[in-house]
């Protein structure tokens, strides 16, 4: 590489002087030294920017030829050589027209085959496309041809003068202005125009026939080399086979994974096991469990669940049996939770038969009654399933440990391992035993590892100091260890009272004297001997499994948790920070945290961010230490005993801290997992409540009836000035009309238009929602209009009066959390490409009212974006998604899915992955199979195949068994083949039982039943029950006796199943969800303002924008959009309110009263109110808050503020917030990208800071220098950001921040943009190039470390490395290597031109 080229690459990423002007650290207050790559304008970055990162960014992408050669291995070179030889051979074998004519002249008897008439272009074009046909095998006569002597590395039509540049000759096809078709034609024309090489290879040796025969006799005819040609042909055939186009060749792995099209997905799809079971047990698919282990698992799960069940002691036995039976259903029968809960419910309850005390008074009363106690709920079933996976993990680790020990037993036996491996009940205890094994037998394990590589993989080394302890164990110093007394395991038994106490005996010599007799080459002095012995015994105590068990037991029982803020957390965790709740917490017991799991998760998150330290200690620390020593010390009383006890005390002190450290880490991890499980359970319950809503029920209709809906929304706009979107949807989900209204409050024509729409479409309900507090006014306007115009809903039969009546239309506020996610989603655009986002939003609102469950199901993985719980951000997203999915699975299987509707309606089809036995992969398979069978399902049985009807199997027997009863088929009385039981929750396995119940209800004997079924089929009895409308007769049956008979004669527990049959025969698939839930006042307030009782409450000081000023009051508007009123006496007693306030002014005021129902508030600006700070109330117990430390920190911060001269500043602008950088990021975190906060700057009163959200988790802090200030606190008349100047804040926001936000949105909407980190983008490029080795590509990704920058990552060829250039976003443009481009298209083309220019420079420099 030339020096000029290297200089160019090294300097490509540097910022020019003008860029550097605006890049200075906002927090530190001084300008950082110039950096050669890019500058992060965040005030959170330190001055000493990571230069290593800068070096990586400014590295060029051009690789020297030498580097390329080093990157290619010998196999790749050999592969290219073979391909080149094949191409050249193919060219020689392709004869052109002139060659064929020459052959005809030389050999008159040879005759050319006639060719079909084609245009020359088409013939040549076809030849180009046939280049990949199999190569004709060479004859033996050609084996010694000299085709390889003129070896040329050039491709077709490429000049030999180009070296490295040839690799990049076709780098990155032009995106603009050519399209794919034009590019293809161009490539074909170039291929056709390539020069032809040699034609027929004519013998020019000049030898006659006799001479050739002599040569053959001497050298042979080449048949000896037949094997070489055969091998080459086989290799070429293998390469062609590999080149067969598959999905992996067309799509990158991430796309296949997203679309569930990988090989693993296909295995799951076609394997006849429930999909969720396959995914959960994927890691343990090779684990084989014995019957004893299966019973052990049942006991293990029961012991973990029993403490939280609060069952009486007499139910413990039945509970254990229920858990074992449920495990049998899961593991052996392969059925999922909904199936067990619906069809095996008898095994989840404990039924006790008791004499009926009422029989004395009522002779007709039954003699016995059944007292049923519920043992396992549906939540418990999911818990059992989760614990099953955990036990498998536990068992796998225990098996590995046992295998290692079994190999060790051939040389030695260990009583501790023999006893405790089988006693272990947790992963922690297994890890203790593993650490003990590694420490105690490190030398033996090394020997095993040397002989068995597989064993080496199993060994988990406890640390790198094992060699040192092995040296002590082999030396005389170990005799001193033995002289110290009992072993650590014996000591632990003493403490745990597991056997009679054994005390330590004292050696007859003093410790120093004994040590002097034990010196050797390893430890030449007595002092070294004693130190080595102390370390050894302390390490043995540390590694003792029983000792760890003792410590762990005490920490769980007597542990207390306290928090101590770090230096970083001192200022960052202020009173507005969510972590302030834990900043000074202390003395929290494990039991306290168990009931408030979110508190500990918040602690752990704050510790991860370096803001606090969590300290776990023992409440009885002193007594615990003393007990440990007393059980270890000698009971003798003498100076000798005191000396030895002193040594023992030193050993305990050494071991204690090490044990505490490892136990505390385990306790924190276990407590975090337990708190996560508890919070996940709460999230599941809350989500289940949202799903447990039937469609909005019109008056007079049965629950489950789908309503006709009219929805309206003003979005973010003012309903009196901006359009209000609306959608009318019928009961089938069809959009009848949509449009907009304006000013429904005052425009009579618009009000009449809405009234006319209601009369024309006759909706059952009007739903309203929006994004701002102004929506509350729209609600009031519509309610007033309905009342004024007398708009009523459809007539219904009033059961009280037995007359038809109609009521005023109900106007309700709809929960819009799903609609907000839907309106701009790709799904919404695909569903309604011609509609605007607000209309799509109204459509989603209407669908939500018609079936909330379907709308939630359609979210898929995006469901974690919903705010289910205020602390869900502290949960792992995969775990949260899994728990939310279990709630959806429960609800979908409770409601059921009409399979034929799902085949026609995409919204209903979203429910299929949640049906028992199915999942997203098997749901795809189900739909595809039904379509192959004609697209309609007429019976449940045909899903497993029906040869008589020529129906292919769609599902395997086991999956079908899971899902059959949850996929229903609407009963058609006119169709004799339609079975009414297919429209019920009754499983096909119980159809005979249901038909028996129907026959008994109709009073039919066996002969009647046989005659009816012989004539009309197996479903005739139930059809007759429905046809005669005599379903109520099933209530007259006494099912208890029938259930007893089934259990006695067939060992089938069917009591609950019979009740289900009774219910389903009366009302098939009855709606079991609760009524549609109206939002509470607090929920409406939070939805429209974004504020809850924690973020906005009385006593807070808030910013208020003055809208109206009268003589005795002022009207203001808070940031959340609600109006406030300030009375004159709440402003000042000495001045008129008009002298203090004026329209447009932003003031700080204290919130005195907040009416969440009416969206109004009262505020005060009196000095005495403003001086009284707001203190948030935290719910903590006595002696659980460090008030002294809190006061000390306040004073320390006050002193620091005095020394730096910082003062709170207020700016008259609606976007101004009194935030620091962390608070600004937290505030903007839930806002859309491009939102802005203006805030005080830490650099002083001549600076402001502007924080804006670049993307999720990425915020840029812009420093604004104020010039020409009237006074210290006024905003400067000139605002400078680097080289840009503005006249006021509004101009700066629009022309600088919003302009950059527009550019960010433009590049992120580009098809060249990749979501994810730079590493993920580089991985994508690599996999893309692997799948498309003949192409080159590039992509943009966001630079999260430097807000406002993007990486342009590119890969020139398959063997070149991925490189990245920084792209900077500036107002109205992008900047790449000091050149500005107005849009993404120009940026892409500029990048290509720059690349080509550098390639030419490199080529010329290389010559």
């Amino acid at each position: 590489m030339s020096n000029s080229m290297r200089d160019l690459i090294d300097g490509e990423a540097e910022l020019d002087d003008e860029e550097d002007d605006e890049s200075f650290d906002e927090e530190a207050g001084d300008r950082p030294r110039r950096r050669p790559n890019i500058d992060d304008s965040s005030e959170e970055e330190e001055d000493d920017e990571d230069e290593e990162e800068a070096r990586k960014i400014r590295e060029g992408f051009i690789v020297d030829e030498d580097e390329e050669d080093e990157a290619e291995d010998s196999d790749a070179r050999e592969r290219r050589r073979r391909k080149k030889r094949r191409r050249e051979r193919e060219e020689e074998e392709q004869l052109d027209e002139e060659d064929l004519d020459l052959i005809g002249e030389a050999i008159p008897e040879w005759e050319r085959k006639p060719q079909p008439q084609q245009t020359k272009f088409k013939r040549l074009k076809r030849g180009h496309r046939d280049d990949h046909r199999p190569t004709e095998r060479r004859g033996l006569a050609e084996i010694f041809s000299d085709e390889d002597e003129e070896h040329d590395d050039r491709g077709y039509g490429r000049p030999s003068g180009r070296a490295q540049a040839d690799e990049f000759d076709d780098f990155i096809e032009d995106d603009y202005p050519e399209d794919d078709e034009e590019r293809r034609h161009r490539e074909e024309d170039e291929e056709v125009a390539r020069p032809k090489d040699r034609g027929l290879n004519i013998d020019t040796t000049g030898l006659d026939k006799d001479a050739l025969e002599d040569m053959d006799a001497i050298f042979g005819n080449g048949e000896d080399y037949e094997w070489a040609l055969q091998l080459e042909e086989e290799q070429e055939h293998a390469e062609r086979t590999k080149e067969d186009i598959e999905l992996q060749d067309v799509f990158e792995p991430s796309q296949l994974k997203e679309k569930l099209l990988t090989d693993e997905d296909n295995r799951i799809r076609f394997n006849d096991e429930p999909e969720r079971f396959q995914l959960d047990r994927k890691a343990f698919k090779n684990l084989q469990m014995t019957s004893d282990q299966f019973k052990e698992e049942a006991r293990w799960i029961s012991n973990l669940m029993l403490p939280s069940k609060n069952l009486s002691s007499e139910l413990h036995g039945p509970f254990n049996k229920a858990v074992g039976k449920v495990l049998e259903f899961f593991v052996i029968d392969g059925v999922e939770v909904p199936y067990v809960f619906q069809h095996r419910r008898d095994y989840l309850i404990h039924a006790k038969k008791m004499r009926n005390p009422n029989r004395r008074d009522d002779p007709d009363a039954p003699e016995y009654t059944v007292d049923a106690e519920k043992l396992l709920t549906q939540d418990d079933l999911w818990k059992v399933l989760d614990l099953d996976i955990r036990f498998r993990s536990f068992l796998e680790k225990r098996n590995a440990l046992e295998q290692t020990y079994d190999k060790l037993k051939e040389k030695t036996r260990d009583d501790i391992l023999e006893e405790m491996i089988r006693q272990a009940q947790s992963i922690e205890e297994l890890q203790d035993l593993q650490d003990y094994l590694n420490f105690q037998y490190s030398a033996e394990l090394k020997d095993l590892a040397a002989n068995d590589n597989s064993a080496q993989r199993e060994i988990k080394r406890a640390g790198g100091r094992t060699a040192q302890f092995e040296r002590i164990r082999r030396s005389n110093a170990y005799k001193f260890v033995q002289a110290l007394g009992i072993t650590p395991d014996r000591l632990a038994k003493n403490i745990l009272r597991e056997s009679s106490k054994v005390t330590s005996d004292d050696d007859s010599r003093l410790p120093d004297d004994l040590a002097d007799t034990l010196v050797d080459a390893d430890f030449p002095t007595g002092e070294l001997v004693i130190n080595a012995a102390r370390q050894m015994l302390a390490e043995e105590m540390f590694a003792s499994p029983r000792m760890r068990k003792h410590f762990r037991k005490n920490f769980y029982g007597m542990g207390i948790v306290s928090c101590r803020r770090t230096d970083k957390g001192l200022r960052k965790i202020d009173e507005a920070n969510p972590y302030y709740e834990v900043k000074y917490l202390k003395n929290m017991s494990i039991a306290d945290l168990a009931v408030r799991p979110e508190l500990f998760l918040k602690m752990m998150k704050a510790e991860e961010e370096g803001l606090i330290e969590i300290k776990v200690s023992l409440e009885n620390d002193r007594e615990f230490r003393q007990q440990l020593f007393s059980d270890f010390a000698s009971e003798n009383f003498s100076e000798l005993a005191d000396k030895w006890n002193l040594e023992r005390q030193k050993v305990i002190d050494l071991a204690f801290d090490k044990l505490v450290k490892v136990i505390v880490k385990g306790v924190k991890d276990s407590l975090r997992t337990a708190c996560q499980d508890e919070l996940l359970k709460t999230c599941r319950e809350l989500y289940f409540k949202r799903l447990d809503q039937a469609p909005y029920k019109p008056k007079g209709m049965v629950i489950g009836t789908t309503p006709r809906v009219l929805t309206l929304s003003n979005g973010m706009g003012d309903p009196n000035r901006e359009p209000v979107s609306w959608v009318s949807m019928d009961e089938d989900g069809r959009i009848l009309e949509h449009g907009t209204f304006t000013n429904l409050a005052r425009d009579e024509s618009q009000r009449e238009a809405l009234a006319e729409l209601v009369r024309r479409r006759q909706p059952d309900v009007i739903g309203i929602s929006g994004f701002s507090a102004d929506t509350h006014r729209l609600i009031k306007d519509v309610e007033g209009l309905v009342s004024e115009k007398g708009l009523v809903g459809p007539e219904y039969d009033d059961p009280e009066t037995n007359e038809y009546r109609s009521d005023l239309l109900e106007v309700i506020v709809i929960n819009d959390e799903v609609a907000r996610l839907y309106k701009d989603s790709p799904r919404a655009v695909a569903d309604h490409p011609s509609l605007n986002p607000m209309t799509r939003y109204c459509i989603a609102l209407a669908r939500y009212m018609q079936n909330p469950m379907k709308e939630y199901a359609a979210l898929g993985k995006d469901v974690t974006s919903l705010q289910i719980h205020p602390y869900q951000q502290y949960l792992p997203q995969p775990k949260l998604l899994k728990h939310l999915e279990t709630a959806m699975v429960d609800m979908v299987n409770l409601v059921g899915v009409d399979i034929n509707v799902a085949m026609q309606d995409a919204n209903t089809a979203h429910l299929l992955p949640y049906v028992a036995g199915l999942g997203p992969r098997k749901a795809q398979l189900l739909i595809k199979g039904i379509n192959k069978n004609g697209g309609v399902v007429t019976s449940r049985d045909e899903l497993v195949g029906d040869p008589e009807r020529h129906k292919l199997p769609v599902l395997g027997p086991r999956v079908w068994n899971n899902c059959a009863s949850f996929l229903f088929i609407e009963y058609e009385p006119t169709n004799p083949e339609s079975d009414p039981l297919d429209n019920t929750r009754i499983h096909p396995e119980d159809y005979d039982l249901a038909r028996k119940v129907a026959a008994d209800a109709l009073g039919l004997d066996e002969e009647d039943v046989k005659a009816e079924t012989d004539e009309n089929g197996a479903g005739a009895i139930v059809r007759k029950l429905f046809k005669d409308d005599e379903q109520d007769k099933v209530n007259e049956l006494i099912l208890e006796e029938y259930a007893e008979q089934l259990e006695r004669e067939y060992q089938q527990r069917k009591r609950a199943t019979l009740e289900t049959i009774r219910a389903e025969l009366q009302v098939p698939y009855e709606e079991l969800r609760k009524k549609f839930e109206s939002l509470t006042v607090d929920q409406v307030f939070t939805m429209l303002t974004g504020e809850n009782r924690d973020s906005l409450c009385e006593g807070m000081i808030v910013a208020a924008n003055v809208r109206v000023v009268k003589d005795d009051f002022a009207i203001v508007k808070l940031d959340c959009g609600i109006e406030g009123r300030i009375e004159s006496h709440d402003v000042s007693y000495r001045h008129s309110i008009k002298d203090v306030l004026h329209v447009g002014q932003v003031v700080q005021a204290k919130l005195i009263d907040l009416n969440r129902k009416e969206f109004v508030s009262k505020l005060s600006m009196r000095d005495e109110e403003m001086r009284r700070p707001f203190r948030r109330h935290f719910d903590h117990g006595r002696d659980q808050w460090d008030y002294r430390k809190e006061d000390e920190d306040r004073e320390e911060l006050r002193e620091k503020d005095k020394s730096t001269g910082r003062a709170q500043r207020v700016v008259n602008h609606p976007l101004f917030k009194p935030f620091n950088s962390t608070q600004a990021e937290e505030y903007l975190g839930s806002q859309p990208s491009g939102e802005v906060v203006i805030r005080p700057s830490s650099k002083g009163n001549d600076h402001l800071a502007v924080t804006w959200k670049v993307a999720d988790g990425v915020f840029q802090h812009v420093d604004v220098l104020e010039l020409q200030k009237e006074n210290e606190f006024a905003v400067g008349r000139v605002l400078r950001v680097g080289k840009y100047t503005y006249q006021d804040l509004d101009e700066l926001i629009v022309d600088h921040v919003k302009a950059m936000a527009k550019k960010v949105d433009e590049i992120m909407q580009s098809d060249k943009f990749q979501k994810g980190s730079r590493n993920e983008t580089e991985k994508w490029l690599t996999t893309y190039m692997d799948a498309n080795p003949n192409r080159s590509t590039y992509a943009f990704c966001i630079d999260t470390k430097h807000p406002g920058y993007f990486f342009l990552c590119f890969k020139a060829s398959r063997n070149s490395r991925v490189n990245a250039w920084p792209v900077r976003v500036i107002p109205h443009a992008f900047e790449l290597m000091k050149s500005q481009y107005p849009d993404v298209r120009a940026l892409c083309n500029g990048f290509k031109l720059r690349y080509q220019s550098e390639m030419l420079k490199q080529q010329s420099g290389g010559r």
Side-chain angles (χ1 to χ4, degrees), residues 1228-1266:
L1228 293 172
S1230 59
Q1231 304 292 324
S1233 298
E1235 289 300 300
V1236 186
V1237 163
I1238 304 171
R1239 57 187 181 82
S1241 172
S1242 59
K1243 295 183 178 180
N1245 290 328
D1246 59 345
H1247 287 261
L1248 282 172
V1250 175
T1251 300
W1252 67 286
K1253 183 176 180 179
V1254 181
D1256 288 338
V1258 183
F1259 307 91
Q1260 187 177 46
H1261 304 277
V1262 180
D1263 180 73
V1264 180
L1265 176 64
E1266 301 175 72

Side-chain angles (χ1 to χ4, degrees), residues 728-790:
S728 175
M729 183 175 290
D730 69 6
E731 58 270 27
D732 295 324
R734 291 177 304 205
I735 303 171
L736 302 177
E737 289 184 73
H738 64 86
T740 58
F741 295 121
T742 54
N743 198 1
L744 289 172
R746 299 182 180 86
D747 191 329
E748 186 56 35
S749 63
Q750 293 293 296
R751 291 169 65 86
E752 185 56 39
L754 174 57
E756 194 276 332
L757 172 66
V758 170
R759 298 186 189 102
R760 184 172 70 253
R761 293 302 179 186
Q762 296 185 337
D764 297 311
V765 63
I766 297 177
I768 301 177
S769 199
F771 314 148
S772 68
D774 289 334
T775 303
H776 184 260
R777 290 158 48 198
L778 176 63
I779 297 169
K780 295 298 183 184
D781 292 341
V782 174
E783 287 177 341
L785 189 149
V786 168
S787 177
E788 177 187 330
K789 302 287 185 180

Side-chain angles (χ1 to χ4, degrees), residues 1287-1337:
Q1287 302 303 312
D1288 55 41
L1289 286 171
D1290 289 330
E1291 183 185 4
L1292 184 147
I1293 296 301
V1294 173
D1295 291 342
H1296 191 90
V1297 179
K1298 293 295 184 182
M1300 288 195 295
K1302 186 176 181 180
K1303 292 286 118 181
V1304 168
D1305 183 65
E1306 180 183 346
I1307 196 171
M1308 292 181 74
Q1309 295 299 322
S1310 167
D1311 58 356
K1312 292 292 183 182
F1313 178 77
Q1314 286 291 319
K1315 296 180 180 179
S1317 64
R1318 176 179 173 180
N1319 288 337
E1320 291 171 340
T1321 303
E1322 291 180 354
K1323 184 178 179 181
W1324 178 87
L1325 290 172
T1326 301
T1327 54
Y1328 180 88
M1329 290 298 294
D1330 289 341
N1332 304 273
N1334 297 323
R1335 301 185 65 183
S1336 304
T1337 190

Side-chain angles (χ1 to χ4, degrees), residues 535-587:
Q535 294 289 339
M536 186 69 194
L537 187 53
E539 194 70 21
E540 287 183 344
M541 284 188 180
F542 170 71
S544 168
R546 216 179 301 268
M547 185 65 73
R548 291 189 181 186
K549 181 179 180 181
H550 169 61
F551 269 70
R552 189 175 292 114
K553 179 180 178 182
N554 276 270
F555 267 89
Y556 280 127
M558 302 297 292
I560 55 174
V561 180
S562 301
C563 297
R564 179 172 291 274
R565 56 86 183 156
T566 62
D567 291 339
K568 180 181 178 182
L570 172 63
R571 185 175 291 278
K572 282 212 167 188
I573 306 181
D574 58 17
E575 294 191 28
N577 192 293
Y579 295 141
Y580 197 84
E581 185 178 9
V582 300
K583 186 176 183 179
Y584 300 105
L585 272 181
K586 65 175 185 176
N587 301 332

